[in-house]
Amino acid sequence: MVRSSPSLTLPLACWQRSRTLARLIREAEQLWHVDVRDLRRLGALELDQLLHEVPPALKPRVNRWLKGYGALTRLH
């Protein structure tokens, strides 16, 4: 069994969580492009919830992923 060093585990987990949050935000954004009002409302609710779930320390990293995904949303 291969064990990862503790010094690598934390950055990897942070990277994975940032990437996951950015992907979820991008998916919620994509619902805005559908002409169905209910889907747009759902997209707005999902996006709002996700924006509040991103820890402040991860916001710069999530923003880099959002930029890479071509998302319009940025975290402040």
Side-chain angles (χ1 to χ4, degrees):
M1 175 157 101
V2 177
R3 295 180 120 181
S4 61
S5 99
S7 63
L8 293 177
T9 303
L10 188 59
L12 178 60
C14 185
W15 176 83
Q16 289 173 327
R17 196 160 76 170
S18 299
R19 180 173 169 246
T20 299
L21 287 165
R23 288 177 68 188
L24 289 170
I25 289 169
R26 179 66 181 127
E27 288 172 9
E29 270 188 350
Q30 288 175 341
L31 291 174
W32 280 90
H33 300 290
V34 178
D35 287 335
V36 180
R37 286 185 189 182
D38 288 338
L39 285 178
R40 285 186 178 200
R41 193 174 302 118
L42 176 62
L45 291 171
E46 284 288 321
L47 185 57
D48 184 61
Q49 183 176 345
L50 285 165
L51 294 176
H52 287 92
E53 289 179 7
V54 177
L58 288 182
K59 287 183 179 184
R61 197 174 284 240
V62 171
N63 278 335
R64 283 194 297 272
W65 280 103
L66 289 170
K67 183 177 178 184
Y69 286 138
L72 299 175
T73 302
R74 293 297 182 271
L75 306 174
H76 303 289

